[in-house]
């Protein structure tokens, strides 16, 4: 079973629909007991970092999620704001501490070209830097995915960087470290390419 974490800040229904389409048994939940029995966990997210991390803490989800992320090392997938929450800290709206699963901080996108608007909204191309398994099967010249964001993650360790995109400069598009995988883009909104990425994650053997 795939546990889709429902803490009030994610497109959980569209994500559930995508997983269901792929034949995965998924459950939208905020019950830590479901995290225990799940094979994998997805942390989606849209909205403000500070409000989202506050909701996770108020619901008592930080400790059980962190246990599975760092101790039991259950496969975890973060999406959009969910990816940013993996970091140590975000500069958004005065600054907030994150879950601290990845040694990284989150900062506002600062395009070198002033004509490039923030937020980034729409389709953009991926430049794969690592975790090639996650992008296996994507068309080499047509690997566009769908973004909606103003902030992005900056990893301390470059080996955690799985993909970038260009939005007036390099922007982190995906990260991967052991059992932790995350995308700044929305795979559930990225049509065939997004479904392929989700399928690759569902099928990947993290124990190999």
């Amino acid at each position: 079973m795939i546990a889709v974490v429902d803490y009030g800040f994610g497109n959980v229904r569209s994500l559930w629909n995508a997983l269901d389409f792929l034949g995965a048994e998924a459950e939208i939940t905020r019950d830590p007991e479901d995290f225990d029995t799940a094979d994998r966990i997805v942390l989606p997210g849209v909205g403000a970092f500070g409000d989202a991390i506050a909701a996770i803490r108020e619901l008592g989800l930080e400790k059980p999620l962190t246990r599975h992320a760092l101790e039991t090392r259950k496969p975890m997938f973060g999406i959009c704001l969910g990816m940013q929450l993996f970091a140590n800290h975000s500069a958004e709206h005065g600054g907030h501490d994150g879950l601290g699963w990845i040694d990284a901080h989150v900062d506002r996108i600062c395009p070198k070209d002033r004509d490039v608007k923030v937020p980034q909204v729409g389709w953009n191309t991926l430049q794969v830097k690592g975790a090639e398994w996650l992008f296996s099967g994507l068309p080499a010249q047509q690997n566009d995915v769908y973004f909606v964001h103003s902030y992005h993650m900056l990893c301390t360790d470059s080996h955690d960087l799985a993909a970038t995109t260009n939005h007036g400069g390099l922007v982190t598009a995906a990260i991967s470290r052991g059992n932790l995988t995350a995308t700044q883009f929305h795979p559930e909104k990225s049509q065939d390419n997004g479904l392929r990425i989700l399928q690759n994650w569902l099928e990947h053997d993290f124990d190999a």
Side-chain angles (χ1 to χ4, degrees), residues 12-108:
V12 292
R13 181 53 58 182
S14 59
L15 177 58
W16 185 93
N17 287 339
L19 293 169
D20 181 65
F21 178 82
L22 293 170
E25 178 190 353
E27 183 172 340
I28 298 170
T29 181
R30 59 180 58 173
D31 186 344
E33 291 187 2
D34 290 331
F35 305 158
D36 293 340
T37 58
D39 300 303
R40 300 174 185 230
I41 299 173
V42 182
L43 182 66
V46 293
F49 188 104
D51 293 339
I53 194 66
I56 286 174
R57 289 171 176 151
E58 288 169 6
L59 291 167
L61 302 182
E62 181 176 20
K63 185 175 180 180
L65 287 173
T66 297
R67 182 170 68 85
H68 288 302
L70 303 183
E71 296 177 20
T72 70
R73 299 184 62 81
K74 191 164 288 190
M76 310 275 284
F77 195 120
I79 296 175
C80 196
L81 177 60
M83 168 172 144
Q84 296 177 14
L85 293 171
F86 282 21
N88 296 324
H89 186 267
S90 173
E92 185 178 3
H93 296 163
H96 302 274
D97 289 336
L99 295 168
W101 301 345
I102 295 288
D103 189 8
H105 68 278
V106 175
D107 212 341
R108 186 172 174 83

Side-chain angles (χ1 to χ4, degrees), residues 120-140:
Q120 176 181 202
V121 179
W123 297 84
N124 210 340
T125 303
L126 295 174
Q127 292 86 45
V128 176
K129 304 295 183 181
E132 287 82 1
W133 60 267
L134 185 62
F135 309 102
S136 176
L138 295 188

